[in-house]
Amino acid sequence: MSHQPRAPRSARTRLRPRPLRAVRPGPRPSARTSPVPRTSPRPWARTRPSARTRPSARTRRRGGDRGQAAIEFIGFLPLLLLIALAGVQLGLVAYTAAQSGTAARAAARTASQDAGGSPAAAGREAISGWLADGAAFAQDTPEGEVTVTATLRIPSVIPGVDLGSVQRSSTMPRADD
């Protein structure tokens, strides 16, 4: 009689599915009782969490970690607001510098054409109204050209803080007479 070698015990147990055990209230069933079939309704299994999902007494803490994330966020919130305000302020500085260059070019163009218009009025019209209120213009007329310097105050996000001003100059050739 030919005898086939058997697979090792570990390989045999891996291939065979384990029977399901029902979670029942009360004492734990012995190993000799048959498992509950899969198709039988088990209403108590849905309402009572299994032993694997329930935290044990060792892992549970008194009070727990409830609300810890909210406390950490509240502690971190002032730093986030400060970073946001710094970003907005940096954007305002860059915008004011760009508007100052635009105002200087418009004023220098008007001064070089000798059209009779005011270079300061042309510079104020070329920029945003909320920046134009504090704008100052200086004009220099060397031989054959016009240089206009526009100075704009940098608005601050934080009231009472003065960040100074931005100056930009533009030079245009004078129109021929």
Side-chain angles (χ1 to χ4, degrees):
M1 168 186 229
S2 92
H3 186 275
Q4 288 184 335
R6 294 181 81 182
R9 182 165 171 77
S10 61
R12 281 184 285 152
T13 56
R14 266 188 257 139
L15 298 175
R16 189 173 46 207
R18 287 185 166 177
L20 294 175
R21 293 186 182 207
V23 178
R24 298 176 191 246
R28 192 175 175 131
S30 68
R32 293 183 190 153
T33 60
S34 66
V36 177
R38 285 187 177 184
T39 57
S40 68
R42 299 178 296 156
W44 61 85
R46 285 189 216 109
T47 58
R48 184 173 177 224
S50 70
R52 291 184 182 184
T53 60
R54 274 185 299 176
S56 68
R58 270 184 274 161
T59 59
R60 272 187 288 190
R61 292 186 223 158
R62 283 191 182 230
D65 292 349
R66 302 191 82 189
Q68 181 68 27
I71 297 296
E72 289 175 3
F73 179 70
I74 288 172
F76 195 62
L77 190 62
L79 181 63
L80 287 176
L81 289 175
L82 186 66
I83 291 171
L85 284 175
V88 169
Q89 186 63 57
L90 184 64
L92 277 174
V93 169
Y95 182 73
T96 304
Q99 289 287 294
S100 180
T102 301
R105 278 192 303 280
R109 188 178 312 113
T110 301
S112 69
Q113 291 175 355
D114 288 330
S118 169
R124 281 190 181 88
E125 288 176 14
I127 59 176
S128 298
W130 55 278
L131 285 175
D133 296 335
F137 296 91
Q139 183 176 343
D140 187 25
T141 55
E143 188 67 33
E145 58 188 25
V146 175
T147 301
V148 176
T149 302
T151 305
L152 296 179
R153 199 140 242 1
I154 299 172
S156 176
V157 175
I158 303 169
V161 176
D162 184 23
L163 297 174
S165 58
V166 177
Q167 284 188 346
R168 293 287 185 261
S169 296
S170 183
T171 303
M172 297 274 180
R174 277 194 169 277
D176 294 332
D177 290 328

